[in-house]
């Protein structure tokens, strides 16, 4: 697996089960002519997806402006490691534009102590007669009902996204992911305005201060934030907004190299 895919599949499920459905598993039309599933498989075979049309539809809907494009990917750093990938929004758009796909959240179970949640999601590609089932467990950070709800929603979103990315090969959506990055970056002329707007959004929604953002980027002042780093902040915003990572994971992480440097300078 190449480096890009390793980053994209960072939230790798604990259990991955690919299944190519045997021909006999595809339901045949029943005697009374009302087998809905048989009609679905039959319609998928008769109306195969056109990948060029799919790409154009996604571009038309998801790449209209920087704001829309920013929801299609996430990017953040933890302990010096960059995590980058396609978001649940990109996956939903893929499933919608590709068609002939069904996704089901099979089960969501909370542990008795309410400290962890495990979920199972299944996806079927009726056109290629392929099925994927993924499961994943996540720890609940906090004891409030809201914390449990956030964890459950984040968990199921990640699983749905990963199932769709399994059903639809990267060759289809990787170019769209790269295009979304470029569109989300915006123009250099708007940089000062976009810096101010982004910092304000972090403060209003997550109570993340400008000082914390500067520390995360390792920058002394707001004016020194480059277009590339603003691009990184767009990816971080998406990661937080979509539940890919928690605030504490990003802003409470230690930096051993920086700590050592500070100790030696004393």
């Amino acid at each position: 697996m190449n480096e890009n895919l390793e980053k994209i599949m960072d939230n790798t499920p604990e259990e991955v089960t690919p299944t190519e459905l045997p021909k006999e598993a595809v339901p045949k039309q029943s005697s009374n002519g009302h087998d809905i599933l048989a009609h679905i498989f039959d319609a998928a075979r008769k109306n195969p997806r056109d990948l060029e049309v799919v790409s154009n539809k996604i571009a038309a809907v998801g790449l209209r402006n920087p704001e829309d494009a920013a929801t299609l990917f996430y990017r953040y750093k933890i302990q010096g490691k960059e995590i980058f990938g396609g978001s649940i929004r990109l996956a939903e758009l893929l499933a919608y534009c590709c068609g002939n796909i069904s996704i089901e959240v099979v089960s969501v179970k909370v542990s008795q102590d309410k400290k962890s949640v495990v979920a199972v999601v299944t996806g079927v590609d009726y056109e290629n007669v392929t099925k994927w089932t993924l499961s994943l467990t996540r720890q609940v950070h906090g004891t409030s009902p809201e914390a449990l709800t956030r964890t459950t929603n984040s968990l199921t979103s990640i699983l749905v996204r990963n199932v769709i990315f399994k059903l639809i090969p990267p060759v289809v959506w990787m170019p769209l992911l790269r295009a979304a990055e470029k569109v989300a970056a915006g123009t250099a002329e708007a940089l000062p305005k976009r810096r101010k707007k982004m910092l304000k959004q972090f403060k209003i929604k997550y109570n993340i201060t400008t000082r914390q953002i500067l520390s995360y980027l390792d920058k002394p002042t707001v004016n020194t934030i480059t277009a590339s780093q603003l691009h990184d902040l767009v990816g971080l915003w998406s990661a937080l907004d979509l539940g890919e990572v928690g605030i504490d994971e990003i802003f409470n992480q230690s930096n051993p190299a920086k700590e050592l440097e500070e100790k030696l300078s004393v």
Side-chain angles (χ1 to χ4, degrees), residues 201-227:
Q201 288 178 329
F202 272 109
K203 177 61 177 177
I204 291 175
K205 185 165 184 178
Y206 298 110
N207 198 31
I208 296 171
T209 65
T210 298
R211 183 175 180 179
Q212 287 176 295
I213 294 294
L214 291 175
S215 177
Y216 175 77
L217 296 175
D218 197 19
K219 284 290 182 178
T221 63
V222 172
N223 292 336
T224 60
I225 297 176
T226 65

PDB file of all heavy atoms in Angstrom, residues 201-227:
ATOM      1  N   GLN A 201     -13.271  31.431  13.318  1.00  0.00           N
ATOM      2  CA  GLN A 201     -14.105  30.228  13.339  1.00  0.00           C
ATOM      3  C   GLN A 201     -13.625  29.235  14.396  1.00  0.00           C
ATOM      4  O   GLN A 201     -14.435  28.630  15.109  1.00  0.00           O
ATOM      5  CB  GLN A 201     -14.098  29.571  11.955  1.00  0.00           C
ATOM      6  CG  GLN A 201     -14.893  30.335  10.917  1.00  0.00           C
ATOM      7  CD  GLN A 201     -14.814  29.683   9.549  1.00  0.00           C
ATOM      8  OE1 GLN A 201     -13.810  29.055   9.194  1.00  0.00           O
ATOM      9  NE2 GLN A 201     -15.868  29.828   8.771  1.00  0.00           N
ATOM     10  N   PHE A 202     -12.307  29.067  14.506  1.00  0.00           N
ATOM     11  CA  PHE A 202     -11.757  28.160  15.520  1.00  0.00           C
ATOM     12  C   PHE A 202     -12.144  28.637  16.921  1.00  0.00           C
ATOM     13  O   PHE A 202     -12.464  27.827  17.801  1.00  0.00           O
ATOM     14  CB  PHE A 202     -10.232  28.081  15.402  1.00  0.00           C
ATOM     15  CG  PHE A 202      -9.739  27.030  14.437  1.00  0.00           C
ATOM     16  CD1 PHE A 202      -9.174  27.395  13.233  1.00  0.00           C
ATOM     17  CD2 PHE A 202      -9.845  25.685  14.736  1.00  0.00           C
ATOM     18  CE1 PHE A 202      -8.714  26.439  12.342  1.00  0.00           C
ATOM     19  CE2 PHE A 202      -9.391  24.721  13.862  1.00  0.00           C
ATOM     20  CZ  PHE A 202      -8.825  25.096  12.649  1.00  0.00           C
ATOM     21  N   LYS A 203     -12.104  29.937  17.141  1.00  0.00           N
ATOM     22  CA  LYS A 203     -12.408  30.495  18.462  1.00  0.00           C
ATOM     23  C   LYS A 203     -13.885  30.356  18.788  1.00  0.00           C
ATOM     24  O   LYS A 203     -14.258  29.934  19.895  1.00  0.00           O
ATOM     25  CB  LYS A 203     -11.991  31.975  18.503  1.00  0.00           C
ATOM     26  CG  LYS A 203     -12.326  32.675  19.818  1.00  0.00           C
ATOM     27  CD  LYS A 203     -11.604  32.030  21.001  1.00  0.00           C
ATOM     28  CE  LYS A 203     -11.905  32.782  22.279  1.00  0.00           C
ATOM     29  NZ  LYS A 203     -11.274  32.129  23.460  1.00  0.00           N
ATOM     30  N   ILE A 204     -14.750  30.685  17.831  1.00  0.00           N
ATOM     31  CA  ILE A 204     -16.194  30.667  18.081  1.00  0.00           C
ATOM     32  C   ILE A 204     -16.714  29.255  18.305  1.00  0.00           C
ATOM     33  O   ILE A 204     -17.448  28.991  19.263  1.00  0.00           O
ATOM     34  CB  ILE A 204     -16.947  31.323  16.901  1.00  0.00           C
ATOM     35  CG1 ILE A 204     -16.658  32.828  16.867  1.00  0.00           C
ATOM     36  CG2 ILE A 204     -18.456  31.083  17.024  1.00  0.00           C
ATOM     37  CD1 ILE A 204     -17.251  33.537  15.679  1.00  0.00           C
ATOM     38  N   LYS A 205     -16.333  28.317  17.447  1.00  0.00           N
ATOM     39  CA  LYS A 205     -16.908  26.973  17.538  1.00  0.00           C
ATOM     40  C   LYS A 205     -16.216  26.084  18.558  1.00  0.00           C
ATOM     41  O   LYS A 205     -16.874  25.310  19.261  1.00  0.00           O
ATOM     42  CB  LYS A 205     -16.892  26.289  16.172  1.00  0.00           C
ATOM     43  CG  LYS A 205     -17.588  24.930  16.188  1.00  0.00           C
ATOM     44  CD  LYS A 205     -17.891  24.431  14.805  1.00  0.00           C
ATOM     45  CE  LYS A 205     -18.682  23.128  14.875  1.00  0.00           C
ATOM     46  NZ  LYS A 205     -19.048  22.630  13.524  1.00  0.00           N
ATOM     47  N   TYR A 206     -14.881  26.178  18.644  1.00  0.00           N
ATOM     48  CA  TYR A 206     -14.149  25.242  19.495  1.00  0.00           C
ATOM     49  C   TYR A 206     -13.408  25.908  20.656  1.00  0.00           C
ATOM     50  O   TYR A 206     -12.729  25.222  21.420  1.00  0.00           O
ATOM     51  CB  TYR A 206     -13.142  24.448  18.649  1.00  0.00           C
ATOM     52  CG  TYR A 206     -13.791  23.613  17.578  1.00  0.00           C
ATOM     53  CD1 TYR A 206     -13.658  23.946  16.233  1.00  0.00           C
ATOM     54  CD2 TYR A 206     -14.561  22.500  17.913  1.00  0.00           C
ATOM     55  CE1 TYR A 206     -14.259  23.174  15.248  1.00  0.00           C
ATOM     56  CE2 TYR A 206     -15.164  21.727  16.936  1.00  0.00           C
ATOM     57  CZ  TYR A 206     -15.010  22.074  15.602  1.00  0.00           C
ATOM     58  OH  TYR A 206     -15.617  21.322  14.630  1.00  0.00           O
ATOM     59  N   ASN A 207     -13.506  27.223  20.757  1.00  0.00           N
ATOM     60  CA  ASN A 207     -12.790  27.978  21.788  1.00  0.00           C
ATOM     61  C   ASN A 207     -11.283  27.737  21.712  1.00  0.00           C
ATOM     62  O   ASN A 207     -10.589  27.699  22.735  1.00  0.00           O
ATOM     63  CB  ASN A 207     -13.315  27.623  23.188  1.00  0.00           C
ATOM     64  CG  ASN A 207     -12.931  28.658  24.229  1.00  0.00           C
ATOM     65  OD1 ASN A 207     -12.798  29.857  23.909  1.00  0.00           O
ATOM     66  ND2 ASN A 207     -12.727  28.225  25.460  1.00  0.00           N
ATOM     67  N   ILE A 208     -10.789  27.563  20.497  1.00  0.00           N
ATOM     68  CA  ILE A 208      -9.361  27.400  20.259  1.00  0.00           C
ATOM     69  C   ILE A 208      -8.783  28.772  19.964  1.00  0.00           C
ATOM     70  O   ILE A 208      -9.220  29.464  19.044  1.00  0.00           O
ATOM     71  CB  ILE A 208      -9.102  26.448  19.066  1.00  0.00           C
ATOM     72  CG1 ILE A 208      -9.622  25.047  19.401  1.00  0.00           C
ATOM     73  CG2 ILE A 208      -7.609  26.387  18.735  1.00  0.00           C
ATOM     74  CD1 ILE A 208      -9.614  24.095  18.233  1.00  0.00           C
ATOM     75  N   THR A 209      -7.809  29.191  20.772  1.00  0.00           N
ATOM     76  CA  THR A 209      -7.280  30.550  20.665  1.00  0.00           C
ATOM     77  C   THR A 209      -6.260  30.676  19.540  1.00  0.00           C
ATOM     78  O   THR A 209      -5.704  29.684  19.045  1.00  0.00           O
ATOM     79  CB  THR A 209      -6.604  30.963  21.985  1.00  0.00           C
ATOM     80  OG1 THR A 209      -5.455  30.123  22.195  1.00  0.00           O
ATOM     81  CG2 THR A 209      -7.567  30.825  23.153  1.00  0.00           C
ATOM     82  N   THR A 210      -6.013  31.920  19.173  1.00  0.00           N
ATOM     83  CA  THR A 210      -4.992  32.209  18.145  1.00  0.00           C
ATOM     84  C   THR A 210      -3.634  31.722  18.616  1.00  0.00           C
ATOM     85  O   THR A 210      -2.837  31.202  17.829  1.00  0.00           O
ATOM     86  CB  THR A 210      -4.944  33.721  17.855  1.00  0.00           C
ATOM     87  OG1 THR A 210      -6.203  34.136  17.329  1.00  0.00           O
ATOM     88  CG2 THR A 210      -3.844  34.047  16.858  1.00  0.00           C
ATOM     89  N   ARG A 211      -3.374  31.852  19.906  1.00  0.00           N
ATOM     90  CA  ARG A 211      -2.091  31.400  20.452  1.00  0.00           C
ATOM     91  C   ARG A 211      -1.928  29.888  20.269  1.00  0.00           C
ATOM     92  O   ARG A 211      -0.828  29.410  19.941  1.00  0.00           O
ATOM     93  CB  ARG A 211      -2.011  31.768  21.939  1.00  0.00           C
ATOM     94  CG  ARG A 211      -0.681  31.414  22.594  1.00  0.00           C
ATOM     95  CD  ARG A 211      -0.637  31.917  24.018  1.00  0.00           C
ATOM     96  NE  ARG A 211       0.638  31.593  24.665  1.00  0.00           N
ATOM     97  CZ  ARG A 211       0.958  31.930  25.895  1.00  0.00           C
ATOM     98  NH1 ARG A 211       0.078  32.620  26.630  1.00  0.00           N
ATOM     99  NH2 ARG A 211       2.122  31.598  26.406  1.00  0.00           N
ATOM    100  N   GLN A 212      -2.996  29.148  20.488  1.00  0.00           N
ATOM    101  CA  GLN A 212      -2.931  27.705  20.296  1.00  0.00           C
ATOM    102  C   GLN A 212      -2.675  27.347  18.833  1.00  0.00           C
ATOM    103  O   GLN A 212      -1.907  26.426  18.530  1.00  0.00           O
ATOM    104  CB  GLN A 212      -4.239  27.048  20.766  1.00  0.00           C
ATOM    105  CG  GLN A 212      -4.413  27.004  22.273  1.00  0.00           C
ATOM    106  CD  GLN A 212      -5.765  26.441  22.668  1.00  0.00           C
ATOM    107  OE1 GLN A 212      -6.801  27.053  22.375  1.00  0.00           O
ATOM    108  NE2 GLN A 212      -5.763  25.288  23.312  1.00  0.00           N
ATOM    109  N   ILE A 213      -3.329  28.079  17.939  1.00  0.00           N
ATOM    110  CA  ILE A 213      -3.135  27.836  16.508  1.00  0.00           C
ATOM    111  C   ILE A 213      -1.699  28.140  16.105  1.00  0.00           C
ATOM    112  O   ILE A 213      -1.065  27.368  15.364  1.00  0.00           O
ATOM    113  CB  ILE A 213      -4.103  28.705  15.671  1.00  0.00           C
ATOM    114  CG1 ILE A 213      -5.550  28.266  15.905  1.00  0.00           C
ATOM    115  CG2 ILE A 213      -3.748  28.620  14.185  1.00  0.00           C
ATOM    116  CD1 ILE A 213      -5.877  26.882  15.405  1.00  0.00           C
ATOM    117  N   LEU A 214      -1.157  29.250  16.596  1.00  0.00           N
ATOM    118  CA  LEU A 214       0.225  29.616  16.268  1.00  0.00           C
ATOM    119  C   LEU A 214       1.201  28.569  16.799  1.00  0.00           C
ATOM    120  O   LEU A 214       2.188  28.236  16.138  1.00  0.00           O
ATOM    121  CB  LEU A 214       0.556  30.995  16.845  1.00  0.00           C
ATOM    122  CG  LEU A 214      -0.163  32.190  16.188  1.00  0.00           C
ATOM    123  CD1 LEU A 214       0.165  33.485  16.942  1.00  0.00           C
ATOM    124  CD2 LEU A 214       0.222  32.314  14.732  1.00  0.00           C
ATOM    125  N   SER A 215       0.910  28.050  17.989  1.00  0.00           N
ATOM    126  CA  SER A 215       1.759  27.004  18.557  1.00  0.00           C
ATOM    127  C   SER A 215       1.696  25.728  17.714  1.00  0.00           C
ATOM    128  O   SER A 215       2.714  25.081  17.465  1.00  0.00           O
ATOM    129  CB  SER A 215       1.334  26.707  19.998  1.00  0.00           C
ATOM    130  OG  SER A 215       2.101  25.650  20.548  1.00  0.00           O
ATOM    131  N   TYR A 216       0.494  25.390  17.265  1.00  0.00           N
ATOM    132  CA  TYR A 216       0.303  24.198  16.427  1.00  0.00           C
ATOM    133  C   TYR A 216       1.093  24.319  15.122  1.00  0.00           C
ATOM    134  O   TYR A 216       1.707  23.356  14.656  1.00  0.00           O
ATOM    135  CB  TYR A 216      -1.187  24.030  16.127  1.00  0.00           C
ATOM    136  CG  TYR A 216      -1.521  22.916  15.165  1.00  0.00           C
ATOM    137  CD1 TYR A 216      -1.509  21.580  15.580  1.00  0.00           C
ATOM    138  CD2 TYR A 216      -1.848  23.202  13.846  1.00  0.00           C
ATOM    139  CE1 TYR A 216      -1.823  20.560  14.698  1.00  0.00           C
ATOM    140  CE2 TYR A 216      -2.160  22.174  12.952  1.00  0.00           C
ATOM    141  CZ  TYR A 216      -2.149  20.864  13.382  1.00  0.00           C
ATOM    142  OH  TYR A 216      -2.446  19.846  12.500  1.00  0.00           O
ATOM    143  N   LEU A 217       1.092  25.531  14.549  1.00  0.00           N
ATOM    144  CA  LEU A 217       1.799  25.759  13.285  1.00  0.00           C
ATOM    145  C   LEU A 217       3.266  26.115  13.487  1.00  0.00           C
ATOM    146  O   LEU A 217       4.024  26.192  12.517  1.00  0.00           O
ATOM    147  CB  LEU A 217       1.115  26.901  12.517  1.00  0.00           C
ATOM    148  CG  LEU A 217      -0.324  26.665  12.050  1.00  0.00           C
ATOM    149  CD1 LEU A 217      -0.888  27.933  11.419  1.00  0.00           C
ATOM    150  CD2 LEU A 217      -0.397  25.497  11.069  1.00  0.00           C
ATOM    151  N   ASP A 218       3.642  26.353  14.770  1.00  0.00           N
ATOM    152  CA  ASP A 218       4.998  26.785  15.108  1.00  0.00           C
ATOM    153  C   ASP A 218       5.337  28.106  14.418  1.00  0.00           C
ATOM    154  O   ASP A 218       6.381  28.252  13.771  1.00  0.00           O
ATOM    155  CB  ASP A 218       6.021  25.715  14.729  1.00  0.00           C
ATOM    156  CG  ASP A 218       7.366  25.936  15.414  1.00  0.00           C
ATOM    157  OD1 ASP A 218       7.405  26.667  16.424  1.00  0.00           O
ATOM    158  OD2 ASP A 218       8.381  25.397  14.927  1.00  0.00           O
ATOM    159  N   LYS A 219       4.409  29.065  14.563  1.00  0.00           N
ATOM    160  CA  LYS A 219       4.576  30.381  13.961  1.00  0.00           C
ATOM    161  C   LYS A 219       4.511  31.461  15.048  1.00  0.00           C
ATOM    162  O   LYS A 219       3.741  31.340  15.998  1.00  0.00           O
ATOM    163  CB  LYS A 219       3.475  30.643  12.930  1.00  0.00           C
ATOM    164  CG  LYS A 219       3.681  29.912  11.602  1.00  0.00           C
ATOM    165  CD  LYS A 219       4.864  30.522  10.859  1.00  0.00           C
ATOM    166  CE  LYS A 219       5.069  29.868   9.522  1.00  0.00           C
ATOM    167  NZ  LYS A 219       6.189  30.500   8.780  1.00  0.00           N
ATOM    168  N   PRO A 220       5.285  32.566  14.910  1.00  0.00           N
ATOM    169  CA  PRO A 220       5.294  33.601  15.952  1.00  0.00           C
ATOM    170  C   PRO A 220       4.107  34.557  15.894  1.00  0.00           C
ATOM    171  O   PRO A 220       3.628  35.019  16.929  1.00  0.00           O
ATOM    172  CB  PRO A 220       6.608  34.348  15.682  1.00  0.00           C
ATOM    173  CG  PRO A 220       6.844  34.165  14.211  1.00  0.00           C
ATOM    174  CD  PRO A 220       6.328  32.789  13.888  1.00  0.00           C
ATOM    175  N   THR A 221       3.644  34.883  14.686  1.00  0.00           N
ATOM    176  CA  THR A 221       2.549  35.840  14.538  1.00  0.00           C
ATOM    177  C   THR A 221       1.573  35.367  13.456  1.00  0.00           C
ATOM    178  O   THR A 221       1.908  34.524  12.620  1.00  0.00           O
ATOM    179  CB  THR A 221       3.069  37.232  14.135  1.00  0.00           C
ATOM    180  OG1 THR A 221       3.696  37.142  12.845  1.00  0.00           O
ATOM    181  CG2 THR A 221       4.064  37.758  15.160  1.00  0.00           C
ATOM    182  N   VAL A 222       0.385  35.965  13.476  1.00  0.00           N
ATOM    183  CA  VAL A 222      -0.647  35.617  12.489  1.00  0.00           C
ATOM    184  C   VAL A 222      -0.189  35.935  11.075  1.00  0.00           C
ATOM    185  O   VAL A 222      -0.428  35.167  10.132  1.00  0.00           O
ATOM    186  CB  VAL A 222      -1.963  36.372  12.805  1.00  0.00           C
ATOM    187  CG1 VAL A 222      -2.970  36.177  11.671  1.00  0.00           C
ATOM    188  CG2 VAL A 222      -2.547  35.885  14.124  1.00  0.00           C
ATOM    189  N   ASN A 223       0.491  37.061  10.906  1.00  0.00           N
ATOM    190  CA  ASN A 223       0.920  37.493   9.575  1.00  0.00           C
ATOM    191  C   ASN A 223       1.946  36.556   8.937  1.00  0.00           C
ATOM    192  O   ASN A 223       2.181  36.627   7.728  1.00  0.00           O
ATOM    193  CB  ASN A 223       1.498  38.916   9.628  1.00  0.00           C
ATOM    194  CG  ASN A 223       0.434  39.947   9.931  1.00  0.00           C
ATOM    195  OD1 ASN A 223      -0.749  39.726   9.670  1.00  0.00           O
ATOM    196  ND2 ASN A 223       0.845  41.080  10.481  1.00  0.00           N
ATOM    197  N   THR A 224       2.548  35.697   9.740  1.00  0.00           N
ATOM    198  CA  THR A 224       3.546  34.772   9.191  1.00  0.00           C
ATOM    199  C   THR A 224       2.932  33.436   8.769  1.00  0.00           C
ATOM    200  O   THR A 224       3.642  32.565   8.276  1.00  0.00           O
ATOM    201  CB  THR A 224       4.668  34.502  10.226  1.00  0.00           C
ATOM    202  OG1 THR A 224       4.094  33.933  11.414  1.00  0.00           O
ATOM    203  CG2 THR A 224       5.398  35.783  10.572  1.00  0.00           C
ATOM    204  N   ILE A 225       1.632  33.281   8.965  1.00  0.00           N
ATOM    205  CA  ILE A 225       0.945  32.061   8.511  1.00  0.00           C
ATOM    206  C   ILE A 225       0.870  32.087   6.985  1.00  0.00           C
ATOM    207  O   ILE A 225       0.288  33.011   6.401  1.00  0.00           O
ATOM    208  CB  ILE A 225      -0.479  31.961   9.096  1.00  0.00           C
ATOM    209  CG1 ILE A 225      -0.423  31.864  10.621  1.00  0.00           C
ATOM    210  CG2 ILE A 225      -1.211  30.751   8.528  1.00  0.00           C
ATOM    211  CD1 ILE A 225      -1.788  31.846  11.289  1.00  0.00           C
ATOM    212  N   THR A 226       1.469  31.110   6.350  1.00  0.00           N
ATOM    213  CA  THR A 226       1.525  31.068   4.890  1.00  0.00           C
ATOM    214  C   THR A 226       0.245  30.469   4.301  1.00  0.00           C
ATOM    215  O   THR A 226      -0.590  29.909   5.023  1.00  0.00           O
ATOM    216  CB  THR A 226       2.714  30.231   4.421  1.00  0.00           C
ATOM    217  OG1 THR A 226       2.514  28.861   4.838  1.00  0.00           O
ATOM    218  CG2 THR A 226       4.023  30.742   5.032  1.00  0.00           C
ATOM    219  N   ALA A 227       0.117  30.566   2.984  1.00  0.00           N
ATOM    220  CA  ALA A 227      -1.038  29.983   2.292  1.00  0.00           C
ATOM    221  C   ALA A 227      -1.068  28.473   2.497  1.00  0.00           C
ATOM    222  O   ALA A 227      -2.130  27.879   2.682  1.00  0.00           O
ATOM    223  CB  ALA A 227      -0.978  30.320   0.808  1.00  0.00           C
TER     224      ALA A 227
END
